[in-house]
Amino acid sequence: MIPVVQPYLPARERVDAYINSIYESKWLTNNGPMVQLLTKRLASHLNVDADCLVLVSNGSLALQLAYKALELKGEVITTPFSFIATASTLSWEGLTPIFVDIDEDTWNIDPRLIEQAITPNTSAIVPVHVFGNPCDVASIQEIADKHQLKVIYDAAHCFDTQIDGESILKYGDISTLSFHATKLFHTVEGGAVITRTKSLADKVRRMINFGMDVDGVVTEVGTNSKMSEFHAAIGLAVLDDIEEIKQQRKQVWCHYERALVKIGLTQKRHERSNNNYSYFPLVLKSECEVLRVLTALSAQSIQARRYFYPSLDNIKTLVGESRCCNSRDVASRIICLPVWPGLSVGQVNNCVQCILDQLEITE
Ligand SMILES: *Cc1c(COP(=O)(O)O)cnc(C)c1O
């Protein structure tokens, strides 16, 4: 069986070395040495200020903390073409997601459609850099400034993504990362909140620890969303291998690109950004074709994934009325192919051949 993602497991000896130091310190959670070290190393790797980076227990809580820290109210404009967590975290926090359609080429929220969705109840914009493809950050900030809205980027796909060599995480009031096991960099479960100002990061640091400041005095309403030392230890071991992980993903990605660019639509990527090769999405001609390809792949024990599907404006539990045609169209025709370090050339070839065989039937 070839899964669509295979979580990366670092060598046991290196994980054990980090775990041994936890056994020595007997410090298991509450901003211990592992979390402190991972914060420092990640900040330097991602080229952001360590004072503005807070590690948390997952990417969904990172989003919820961002909404709370910025005191969002009422309606929040977001994209329908994302993983469910972008919108469900809004609903969970009592906010109303207002979906604005995507650009049909970049698959990111279309800035030209944002202003018409703004009402007196709008408090923020939550765009997603889909598949690590940066949004039109300049246009979004311009709209936010004009209407005094907060901007929170769901940057769950953006480990090591830059524009003009600058980290994408520096845009907006807050950006959030997910370190779930299936992501490019992971801590099994985990995430991060990256703020523009240190004071906002300090507020998040209190919020993840029951609203308590460094002296244990409760200064605001908080919750518990701290990262544990064991999760940070896995993160440190994965980070040791990150260049090798990226190199192997790149090989798989480029192999697909060469073989499949002719048969499907790929994402129009930002010209001044790098690719972190976290996903290989392919948009086929029709939903019918998608279903046929998935069945054929599955018969060869290859798992591909309809991702993102369905378009979030189509999920009844989230909101009432809205209809985002571009998002529904892309969602109905997209599949993501297996991309992970360790996938062999033979396996990638099998996957490619199986897809080509299916599509030739209708040519
Ligand atoms: C993975 C992901 C999340 C959620 O992160 P978790 O760490 O799994 O909670 C949020 N948004 C997007 C776009 C994601 O891909």
Side-chain angles (χ1 to χ4, degrees), residues 58-60 63 82-83 85-86 128 154 156-157 178 180 183 190 279 307:
N58 63 57
S60 300
L63 284 165
S82 182
F83 182 56
T86 312
V128 179
D154 179 344
H157 299 169
S178 163
H180 183 257
K183 304 294 206 265
Y279 298 88
Y307 192 68

Side-chain angles (χ1 to χ4, degrees), residues 101-114:
D101 208 358
I102 56 168
D103 179 281
E104 59 184 335
D105 299 319
T106 67
W107 310 340
N108 286 327
I109 194 167
D110 188 341
R112 293 164 298 187
L113 304 176
I114 291 177

Side-chain angles (χ1 to χ4, degrees), residues 186-208:
H186 78 90
T187 60
V188 185
E189 290 275 2
V193 176
I194 297 96
T195 62
R196 186 147 59 186
T197 65
K198 178 172 187 301
S199 65
L200 197 53
D202 286 339
K203 182 172 180 181
V204 174
R205 277 187 199 96
R206 294 190 296 271
M207 291 173 86
I208 66 169

Side-chain angles (χ1 to χ4, degrees), residues 127-139:
V128 179
H129 306 295
V130 172
F131 303 132
N133 188 32
C135 291
D136 181 349
V137 287
S139 301

